[in-house]
Amino acid sequence: MSKKQLNLFDLSMIVVSLVIGMGIFRTPAVAAERAGTPSVFFLAWIIGGVVALCGALTYAEIGSRYPVTGGYYKIFSLGYHPSLAFSINCIELVSNAGSIAAVGVVGAEYIGHFFYSGAVPPLFRGGITAAAVVVFYIVNLLGLKMSSRVQNVLTMIKLLLILTLLASVFGSHPIPAPAKMAAAPDPSVGFWKLLGYALVAVSFSYGGYQQTINFGGEVERPGRIIPRGIGIGIFIIITVYLSLNFVYVKVIGFENLRGADSIAAQLMWHLFGPIGDTILRCLMFLSVLAYVNVSVMSNPRVMYAMSTEGILPAVFKKTTPKHGVIIWSLTAFSATIILSLVFTTAVEKMINYTIFLDSIAFVFSSATIFILRRRRMGEDRDIYKMKGYPWMPAFFMLAYSCVTVSIAVNDPAAAGYCLLIFLCFFVLYFILKWTSRTSSTN
């Protein structure tokens, strides 16, 4: 895993793909409904962008100081304890596998309507998703350079879709009236509560860039490439999100946006008329493939990191001699995605719950920048030091602490369920360590 295969463009496209998934085509409607007014809506997206920028710069320095494969696992282990690293990352691996399965099923549904006039059969959706996972499994077997090239192409297609949606502001086809209108916001609800609840939805769309540090050990000149790649990627994302939300409100109208189901389809209809639906389905399916591939690239590196610390069996750090592919971690994660297809509905519910833990993970992982600075990690070589320290990391941590509190207040069952899962994995860590020591003693 010591080969340096990723350049600046590769890493920037990975950042964009990790963040821009299906969320931006759905969460604006949720955020609008929660915000209640256009001013609160746009303020939530602007604050979300500022928080993302602070987080991106924080993780850029963390990745620069500690450029290792599976970095998102390693920083928890280094800064706190392997049990915390194991528990959080196990939940993320399971939820990410379920997320890929769920998103893949949605993508299959987009093209399924080319073959079925009514509802798309579950077998078709599951088969297409499984086939996509197998294809990208084979692509990743050809090495990181090959998978990153495929990812670059798919990411450019995703950006083409977004540019097409932005161009809808010049369309002339009237949009059909919405089937339902969202209820008017409760006037008794205060400004800060509306903003906080809208920020929860916005934060879903901005997350993902922290996984970039999983590739730290495979980036050329990490001290320069990691911060620049994350910086360029997050700048593209913030620009795209603010522009696209402006177009949503401009074309659809804020009140219609609050009750909209398929906002991307409405923009394409406004630009192209009925044929816009066909164009959208093709581009959305390819956008889904971009998310599937980058997830298959990133998550096995966490399993590799766990194996190097002896938590998972040594087979999970085994690499192929020619391309340095972490063969068994890649195989196991790909199989987990396909297995998740059987439980797609339940997994989707679990993913919603684990957002609570994701927010806590953001707080603790970003806090390692204080630990790395105190230990002067990486200062014997060329590294990136963020400006605005310590205020920018502190603001990022405060923002996600507020998201955590907001979720716990609005959905205490989700918080409790997620903490229970965390506790199960926490106990499992010590069972695995005890088993490992017992086996080595015998």
Side-chain angles (χ1 to χ4, degrees), residues 217-252:
E218 299 150 284
V219 176
E220 301 170 356
R221 296 175 294 135
R224 291 176 58 84
I225 297 300
I226 290 178
R228 290 177 66 191
I230 293 178
I232 292 172
I234 208 69
F235 175 78
I236 293 172
I237 292 158
I238 293 173
T239 302
V240 164
Y241 279 8
L242 293 179
S243 301
L244 198 50
N245 278 291
F246 171 79
V247 172
Y248 283 147
V249 173
K250 180 75 173 177
V251 175
I252 300 174

Side-chain angles (χ1 to χ4, degrees), residues 367-396:
T368 58
I369 191 172
F370 300 103
I371 299 171
L372 296 178
R373 283 217 179 196
R374 189 176 66 246
R375 297 179 183 176
R376 306 183 70 84
M377 244 352 231
E379 293 189 4
D380 56 337
R381 50 186 168 76
D382 182 27
I383 61 171
Y384 166 73
K385 285 188 175 183
M386 68 181 297
K387 296 178 181 178
Y389 176 90
W391 305 111
M392 293 180 76
F395 175 71
F396 177 78

